[in-house]
Amino acid sequence: RLQGDWSSVVCSSDLVQYYLDRIERHNKTLNAILHVNPNALAQARKLDEAFTATDKLSGPLHCVPMAVKDAIDTAEMPTTGGSRAPFANLHPPRDAPVVARLRTAGAIILAKSNLGEFGRGSTGMSTLGGQVRNAYDTTRIPGGSSGGSGVAVAANLVLAALAEETGVSIRNPAANSNIVAIAPTQGLVSRSGVIPISFTQDRVGPYA
């Protein structure tokens, strides 16, 4: 894993800045991240202010920096499916329910991750983000289609991430990146606000 110095991290905004710096430093090589949340630091400062005022965490995921596969809607970043096509540059007005629940639990949605374009393929390549590179060996593929989310976690660009699969697009990148994944039973986790491939197989799950 690509490790870093944690000694300067003392609050939520420090933690978010730490991960923003790691993305800036390593994503040029890994191509795991497509979009960075421009409001992430402001959201972290609000968490710090609330904690200072109340001495209580905002939830069980208080300021956990997360990436979301760019097939899942987030209100402040586009949903592109990894495509350069003009019709793919969507700006959803609201979060997908899975993302909204993460925010309610206190998580910071730090970035949108690269993927096999429109969730198809097993190599983690898109026209918008290029080829995602395996964090352990950049000459190898990370798997797909959730390769960007898997590499973001493996390279410690975020603490956790959301992936999505129709076939094995959660499990395949997790195996290639040596991380933990959950592919939930279809229907137990909302797929509203997710670019669909199959209405009977699509499911969203976490990486850590």
Side-chain angles (χ1 to χ4, degrees):
R1 284 172 66 105
L2 300 171
Q3 298 295 344
D5 178 14
W6 290 80
S7 61
S8 62
V9 175
V10 297
C11 61
S12 295
S13 53
D14 288 343
L15 185 66
V16 167
Q17 187 62 62
Y18 170 85
Y19 279 104
L20 289 172
D21 291 344
R22 287 191 62 78
I23 290 171
E24 176 66 25
R25 190 177 311 124
H26 298 297
N27 194 57
K28 298 179 183 71
T29 299
L30 298 173
N31 290 335
I33 300 299
L34 288 178
H35 316 289
V36 174
N37 182 356
N39 302 320
L41 269 175
Q43 292 166 2
R45 291 188 188 105
K46 287 184 179 178
L47 291 179
D48 284 335
E49 291 167 1
F51 181 74
T52 298
T54 66
D55 202 32
K56 293 181 180 179
L57 299 177
S58 61
L61 298 179
H62 182 91
C63 200
V64 171
M66 296 190 65
V68 173
K69 183 177 181 178
D70 196 19
I72 304 171
D73 285 349
T74 55
E76 70 275 85
M77 291 175 281
T79 300
T80 68
S83 177
R84 288 185 178 275
F87 68 81
N89 189 25
L90 303 176
H91 292 268
R94 64 185 66 85
D95 293 328
V98 287
V99 173
R101 292 186 69 174
L102 289 173
R103 292 195 207 266
T104 299
I108 297 283
I109 308 304
L110 190 62
K112 300 290 285 288
S113 56
N114 200 0
L115 66 157
E117 193 154 340
F118 292 122
R120 297 180 179 272
S122 59
T123 63
M125 184 174 184
S126 72
T127 55
L128 182 60
Q131 176 64 59
V132 182
R133 296 185 175 93
N134 193 298
Y136 291 94
D137 181 349
T138 56
T139 68
R140 297 176 182 266
I141 63 169
S145 62
S146 303
S149 289
V151 168
V153 171
N156 197 29
L157 304 184
V158 289
L159 281 174
L162 282 187
E164 174 268 338
E165 73 173 24
T166 303
V168 294
S169 292
I170 293 174
R171 291 165 286 168
N172 173 237
N176 285 12
S177 286
N178 193 35
I179 58 176
V180 174
I182 297 175
T185 300
Q186 198 278 340
L188 291 183
V189 177
S190 173
R191 58 174 172 73
S192 178
V194 180
I195 294 175
I197 294 179
S198 167
F199 291 113
T200 60
Q201 290 179 261
D202 289 357
R203 51 193 175 171
V204 177
Y207 284 155

